[in-house]
Amino acid sequence: MVAGGATESNHAGYTGSGFVNYDNAPGGYVEFTVTAAAAGQATLGFRYANGTTANRPVDVSVNGVVRAGGVPFPGTGAWSTWRTATVTAPLVAGVNRVRATATTTAGGPNLDRLDVTVGTPATARPA
Ligand code: GCU
């Protein structure tokens, strides 16, 4: 769900069919529905582009609770250069609403997708 933004495809490098261009205003948001098999801490990776040199801060909430305020989304060098900003937040088992809300008059970055990893990535070694 997108409010205060539009889906566009005029900058290369996005995945899927496009990305969200937030309005240049506070309060616009992109909300993702994430279904988790079990409750647990998750890594939320937001793939984005910001062709300016100023941060485009966003509050990240899960099920209405802000879990990461003012995530900066710094400039990536070009609107066609995409990077991933990660935050951690707890998910409940079942459906979660992950929302990224712009907090400044510049609006958010251009947002391509959300990658979710539930649980702590671990490395196991023999012996
Ligand atoms: C440019 C760019 C958009 C971007 C916008 C912005 O217009 O083409 O993709 O969203 O700047 O500053 O937010």
Side-chain angles (χ1 to χ4, degrees):
M1 180 199 307
V2 176
T7 302
E8 297 179 352
S9 56
N10 58 328
H11 298 295
Y14 59 83
T15 61
S17 55
F19 56 84
V20 172
N21 172 356
Y22 285 80
D23 292 346
N24 297 120
Y29 65 81
V30 181
E31 186 173 283
F32 303 86
T33 301
V34 177
T35 303
Q41 197 72 2
T43 300
L44 307 176
F46 294 89
R47 188 167 188 266
Y48 78 99
N50 174 0
T52 77
T53 54
N55 293 350
R56 291 287 178 103
V58 163
D59 284 348
V60 177
S61 68
V62 180
N63 300 323
V65 178
V66 175
R67 297 294 186 180
V71 181
F73 289 89
T76 58
W79 290 110
S80 56
T81 300
W82 302 84
R83 304 218 186 293
T84 299
T86 60
V87 303
T88 57
L91 299 184
V92 298
V95 175
N96 295 264
R97 291 174 295 106
V98 176
R99 186 181 288 200
T101 304
T103 63
T104 71
T105 55
N110 286 354
L111 194 57
D112 180 31
R113 66 163 195 256
L114 173 64
D115 297 319
V116 181
T117 305
V118 180
T120 306
T123 301
R125 299 186 191 288

